[in-house]
Amino acid sequence: MAEAEKSRPDGRTLRSANTRRAVAEAYLDLAQEGNLKPTARTVADRAQVSERAVFRHFRDLETLMAEAARLQIDRVGKAVPRPAPLDGPLDVRREAFAERWCELNEKVTPVRRAALLYEPFSEEVARRLGWIRGVRRNEIQRTFAAELASLATEDQREAIAALSATSSWATWNELRTRHNLSKVAARRTVARSLAALLGYMGPA
């Protein structure tokens, strides 16, 4: 019983953790709403804490963005389809892959726009964006392993790059924003582009 009491967080520790999370969630919510560079005052007001509390829990923007990134991964991870199957018919794997990454790209759009503003100056943001790009490449290699195995090494590398670019947020943003496609039409376009690459990518 004594050990259990020791491991249980005290009230002050719990309040501190709750405040820290509230500030990070406020920052994420503001970015989701389109406020790409919220001030500390704005974040504090949304979190319903003092501006001093923001700086007490986060010594700089970098530490706040690191915490927000962890929360964003948790939020999005629960809201997107599972990874595509690793075997079975190509069209089933392709459609599942397209559905997952199109849904993910749609959900992260507002926060991704904010992240891209800071990527050149923030090691944490650059690391997180690099991580998600790596996740996508890894899923491509695993999902389409059978198709990629038939290519020579350099052709395989180029095929992975093309498939990654086609399913990237940059392409999704181009389709949704620049070409004003609906979510359904944009997903269909991505799926068709993946099908074309997987069907015809090979030695020149």
Side-chain angles (χ1 to χ4, degrees), residues 6-172:
K6 287 180 182 179
S7 63
R8 187 178 302 162
D10 60 31
R12 180 180 296 178
T13 301
L14 189 58
R15 285 193 299 274
S16 178
N18 288 342
T19 299
R20 183 180 178 86
R21 184 178 181 90
V23 170
E25 287 185 335
Y27 176 84
L28 267 185
D29 290 342
L30 288 164
Q32 189 72 30
E33 293 165 11
N35 189 340
L36 303 187
K37 287 188 174 182
T39 64
R41 177 73 266 163
T42 304
V43 172
D45 288 345
R46 174 59 65 92
Q48 297 185 324
V49 300
S50 68
E51 190 171 352
R52 182 179 177 184
V54 174
F55 291 108
R56 185 167 66 247
H57 288 278
F58 299 99
R59 64 180 182 274
D60 53 29
L61 183 62
E62 189 81 352
T63 55
L64 172 55
M65 295 186 81
E67 183 69 17
R70 284 190 285 272
L71 288 177
Q72 173 75 343
I73 291 169
D74 185 54
R75 284 183 181 185
V76 174
K78 294 175 180 177
V80 300
R82 294 174 60 82
L86 304 183
D87 52 25
L90 173 58
D91 59 343
V92 173
R93 286 179 282 129
R94 184 184 65 237
E95 289 298 317
F97 179 85
E99 181 65 25
R100 169 174 165 80
W101 283 92
C102 289
E103 187 64 26
L104 186 151
N105 288 333
E106 179 73 11
K107 289 188 177 299
V108 304
T109 286
V111 175
R112 176 62 62 87
R113 287 177 178 148
L116 290 174
L117 291 177
Y118 292 104
E119 185 179 16
F121 317 104
S122 169
E123 183 177 321
E124 178 63 27
V125 171
R127 186 177 71 83
R128 292 289 181 174
L129 291 178
W131 172 79
I132 195 63
R133 291 166 186 143
V135 169
R136 186 172 61 251
R137 285 193 300 271
N138 181 61
E139 288 191 16
I140 287 168
Q141 290 174 287
R142 288 164 56 81
T143 304
F144 306 116
E147 291 72 29
L148 292 167
S150 65
L151 302 178
T153 301
E154 186 60 23
D155 292 324
Q156 188 177 113
R157 190 175 75 87
E158 291 173 5
I160 292 169
L163 292 167
S164 182
T166 300
S167 54
S168 68
W169 179 84
T171 294
W172 184 256

